[in-house]
Amino acid sequence: MSQAIIQLSSVNKWFGDVHVLRDIDLTIQQGERMVICGPSGSGKSTLIRCINRLEQHDSGSITVDGIELDEDTAHVAAIRREVGMVFQSFNLFPHLTVLENCALPQIRVRGTPRAQAEAKAMEYLRRVQIPEQSHKFPGQLSGGQQQRVAIARSLCMEPKVMLFDEPTSALDPEMIKEVLDVIIDLAQSGMTMVCVTHEMGFAKKVADTVVFMDGGRVVEKAPPEQLFTNPQSERTKKFLSQILSH
Amino acid sequence: MSAIRPRQPRFVAWGWLDWVLLTALLALAALLSWRASSVFQYRWDWSTIWPFIFRLDAATGRWVPNLLVEGFLTTIRLAVWGILISGVIGTLMALARNSQRLFLRLLSVSYVMLIRNIPPVVFVFVFVFFIAGQVMPKLALADSVAKLSATGQWWVSLFFGSPKLIDNFLLGLICLSVFSGAYVTEIVRAGLESVPKSQIEAGNSLGMSHFDIARFVVLPQALRNVLPPMAGQFIQLIKDSSLVSLVSIQELTFMAQDVQVTTQRVFEVFVFVAVVYFIICFSLSQLFSALEKRYSRAFK
């Protein structure tokens, strides 16, 4: 049996008076591909942002790769080195070229020599199919290309887990496929990933587990074929009928 | 998110109204200068001020720079150091303003509030006579410089001017930098706030330290965004450097007053000085627009 790499137990979080995460218990196994879906405001983005401390949970515990996520900044730093993240709005550094975007974090965080960092950057840019754009600035690329660079930048850090926060929501329809193809390729290579997305076709194709969230709770958690064909809760049924009907 | 587009040529329009306005302006200028020349009978005599720019040294028979050039060099030294130091003060204070530590935030806020709300001349007097007057003599910098080797002294005088006047120069410099630094702080702060939070999150998610995020992600973008107001502030600093002539720092304006007293040629001296200031400030603004062009190749 594979072992747990991320473990959340009774995690709660409030934004002011709003209770955004309610008693979340969730375990992600090594090599597991988890898709989190749910209506907007259900807490799914907040949930994955808690995993690398972009948001701080108020109670409960989160453990990543055996490290407890707490006030200790060394723990936070250690976890962030193991966890890569891809954002909805790419968040590339606009003042750096594509190559520098991928090389700088390696140089600063891992202490990799520049030549080596750039070689690795090119390797991953080739993997996301845009090595020829390496000298350009992010503003000169299309959204799909920027998101692929963002994925390459994360992969350059050799993370054990990748978090995707609605990676295709800000993209034009014709660019969604090129980004999903990269993520699918990554999933097939055995990367552990947690992906917040509305792309149900993608979820069916790659996910081991689909989690449906609503109102800050995990409503249902099941393999995709089960969750999509035979949802247990009324809330899940309603949500699925809404997003699958068109 | 758009791709690079060739810059559109600016539409050139020059109509009859522009001719009318130009003619009116020229007529006004002509009228004013005619009125002025008919009211006071001033005989321009530029020859008397040339010797104060370069003079013939009787002993060696060579041309050496005189008061106005020395003043010009002091102004340049004040400007270069002032820009560097106020830039550093401003950046540190702006970072302090965004610090998680209350003390640093309070320090930064009080500094900016204090400096911005007193007139520069008052600040110069208070700083020089009450504060620096207590500290500078105890440091006895001029004495330590005098002990240096000949090459050491040469470098010191290259960077800070005459070693005998070094106390005085540093005083004026610190005064100017502290004063200008408050405005730079506000400019840099605006720049820091113009960088989206998501940039910091990206740095965090990659495991970068606070320092690295500030140094490599936020500051470069912030500074690029504030180049135009920063150019304005540095030009202001150069012009404000004339204020420290009030406390006997021998920069351009101070020397001009000296020369003016000696020669009695008020207008020639100050017209000359105005042209020199214009050239310095204009060069600086050209430098900044070149920088702006360079940095604008990467845009959002």
Side-chain angles (χ1 to χ4, degrees):
Chain A
M1 185 61 199
S2 56
Q3 67 191 89
I5 189 154
I6 301 175
Q7 193 133 31
L8 294 90
S9 50
S10 28
V11 170
N12 279 279
K13 172 154 186 71
W14 285 264
F15 283 130
D17 290 336
V18 188
H19 198 171
V20 283
L21 295 179
R22 297 168 189 256
D23 292 319
I24 304 281
D25 287 301
L26 208 56
T27 304
I28 295 138
Q29 307 292 335
Q30 187 109 48
E32 184 174 357
R33 289 148 300 189
M34 179 181 282
V35 163
I36 303 179
C37 60
S40 49
S42 59
K44 44 195 199 312
S45 283
T46 310
L47 175 67
I48 70 166
R49 287 163 61 85
C50 281
I51 295 174
N52 66 351
R53 253 289 145 119
L54 294 184
E55 304 290 353
Q56 192 169 339
H57 58 285
D58 294 313
S59 71
S61 80
I62 300 178
T63 313
V64 180
D65 199 27
I67 307 162
E68 166 95 36
L69 188 57
D70 50 25
E71 299 297 321
D72 191 337
T73 51
H75 289 175
V76 176
I79 287 174
R80 283 176 176 165
R81 277 198 294 273
E82 305 299 344
V83 178
M85 187 170 212
V86 173
F87 300 88
Q88 180 176 355
S89 50
F90 331 132
N91 298 3
L92 293 173
F93 304 135
H95 60 299
L96 300 177
T97 64
V98 165
L99 186 67
E100 288 164 338
N101 261 282
C102 297
L104 177 75
Q106 300 179 59
I107 295 169
R108 300 308 306 176
V109 179
R110 301 252 186 238
T112 316
R114 176 169 288 276
Q116 220 173 305
E118 288 183 353
K120 184 181 277 182
M122 285 311 293
E123 177 193 328
Y124 280 106
L125 287 173
R126 242 172 263 127
R127 184 157 169 195
V128 300
Q129 322 252 321
I130 36 174
E132 72 284 357
Q133 312 284 4
S134 64
H135 60 283
K136 289 195 182 165
F137 288 98
Q140 294 166 262
L141 305 183
S142 73
Q145 289 172 324
Q146 290 193 54
Q147 192 61 299
R148 285 186 282 150
V149 172
I151 294 172
R153 178 175 71 174
S154 280
L155 292 178
C156 280
M157 304 301 287
E158 310 277 5
K160 291 186 177 158
V161 182
M162 285 288 287
L163 307 175
F164 294 89
D165 188 3
E166 304 204 27
T168 57
S169 300
L171 296 175
D172 292 339
E174 71 265 33
M175 290 168 185
I176 291 178
K177 187 178 179 300
E178 66 183 56
V179 171
L180 288 183
D181 283 346
V182 167
I183 302 176
I184 290 168
D185 173 61
L186 192 63
Q188 283 160 354
S189 75
M191 173 68 79
T192 310
M193 55 172 73
V194 183
C195 185
V196 172
T197 184
H198 297 297
E199 297 292 329
M200 291 304 136
F202 164 80
K204 277 180 192 159
K205 197 164 179 180
V206 303
D208 302 308
T209 319
V210 177
V211 171
F212 174 69
M213 283 184 75
D214 188 36
R217 281 201 178 81
V218 171
V219 177
E220 200 162 343
K221 178 187 171 200
E225 56 275 14
Q226 192 181 322
L227 190 115
F228 289 131
T229 54
N230 185 22
Q232 300 300 304
S233 105
E234 282 306 312
R235 186 67 192 90
T236 318
K237 277 179 199 160
K238 195 172 160 221
F239 176 75
L240 288 175
S241 71
Q242 273 164 354
I243 63 165
L244 295 176
S245 62
H246 54 263
Chain B
M1 304 297 164
S2 65
I4 278 193
R5 227 178 351 182
R7 186 181 287 197
Q8 300 284 317
R10 207 167 281 177
F11 184 57
V12 182
W14 184 271
W16 62 271
L17 186 60
D18 304 283
W19 282 115
V20 172
L21 286 172
L22 181 67
T23 317
L25 276 174
L26 289 176
L28 185 66
L31 178 70
L32 284 175
S33 55
W34 174 73
R35 287 290 301 165
S37 61
S38 65
V39 171
F40 57 75
Q41 295 295 318
Y42 189 80
R43 289 177 47 192
W44 293 86
D45 178 11
W46 290 91
S47 63
T48 45
I49 74 156
W50 301 134
F52 291 96
I53 302 171
F54 284 99
R55 71 187 163 84
L56 190 61
D57 189 11
T60 59
R62 281 193 301 187
W63 289 92
V64 291
N66 202 359
L67 295 182
L68 289 174
V69 172
E70 282 170 20
F72 166 77
L73 291 176
T74 306
T75 292
I76 292 286
R77 288 187 188 104
L78 280 174
V80 173
W81 285 113
I83 286 172
L84 287 175
I85 299 174
S86 65
V88 170
I89 294 178
T91 307
L92 292 179
M93 281 297 181
L95 290 172
R97 177 68 179 263
N98 285 332
S99 165
Q100 294 182 339
R101 304 172 67 133
L102 180 63
F103 175 74
L104 291 180
R105 285 205 305 277
L106 285 177
L107 181 75
S108 172
V109 171
S110 339
Y111 166 63
V112 171
M113 284 221 299
L114 188 68
I115 304 282
R116 278 214 308 194
N117 297 319
I118 38 180
V121 179
V122 177
F123 174 75
V124 169
F125 280 125
V126 170
F127 184 84
V128 169
F129 293 123
F130 292 100
I131 301 170
Q134 305 295 313
V135 182
M136 290 310 274
K138 298 211 170 61
L139 294 176
L141 279 172
D143 293 346
S144 7
V145 174
K147 288 188 198 116
L148 287 174
S149 67
T151 27
Q153 295 208 9
W154 186 82
W155 282 106
V156 169
S157 53
L158 177 69
F159 287 127
F160 303 104
S162 164
K164 270 176 283 178
L165 294 172
I166 194 162
D167 277 358
N168 202 323
F169 174 80
L170 289 180
L171 207 59
L173 175 61
I174 294 168
C175 184
L176 194 61
S177 308
V178 168
F179 183 75
S180 181
Y183 295 90
V184 177
T185 302
E186 284 297 275
I187 294 173
V188 175
R189 184 171 74 92
L192 291 177
E193 279 163 15
S194 75
V195 178
K197 283 258 179 335
S198 59
Q199 287 288 308
I200 300 170
E201 288 184 349
N204 277 332
S205 78
L206 290 159
M208 294 171 75
S209 66
H210 286 313
F211 176 82
D212 281 350
I213 292 173
R215 161 80 182 74
F216 294 101
V217 177
V218 179
L219 273 178
Q221 296 184 57
L223 294 181
R224 191 193 59 192
N225 290 348
V226 295
L227 276 177
M230 201 68 106
Q233 180 54 37
F234 287 151
I235 286 167
Q236 189 68 47
L237 178 144
I238 293 176
K239 292 183 291 179
D240 284 347
S241 74
S242 62
L243 286 175
V244 297
S245 65
L246 291 173
V247 287
S248 310
I249 283 87
Q250 304 186 353
E251 44 67 75
L252 192 54
T253 304
F254 182 90
M255 293 302 203
Q257 278 160 350
D258 254 18
V259 174
Q260 178 252 121
V261 170
T262 319
T263 61
Q264 298 295 313
R265 307 308 306 182
V266 186
F267 293 110
E268 286 86 342
V269 172
F270 281 103
V271 166
F272 174 80
V273 165
V275 170
V276 173
Y277 274 114
F278 180 87
I279 292 171
I280 302 174
C281 295
F282 185 72
S283 317
L284 187 71
S285 60
Q286 289 304 102
L287 179 74
F288 265 86
S289 41
L291 275 179
E292 238 177 278
K293 277 212 188 81
R294 211 189 114 185
Y295 285 121
S296 66
R297 77 204 156 114
F299 49 84
K300 284 171 204 166

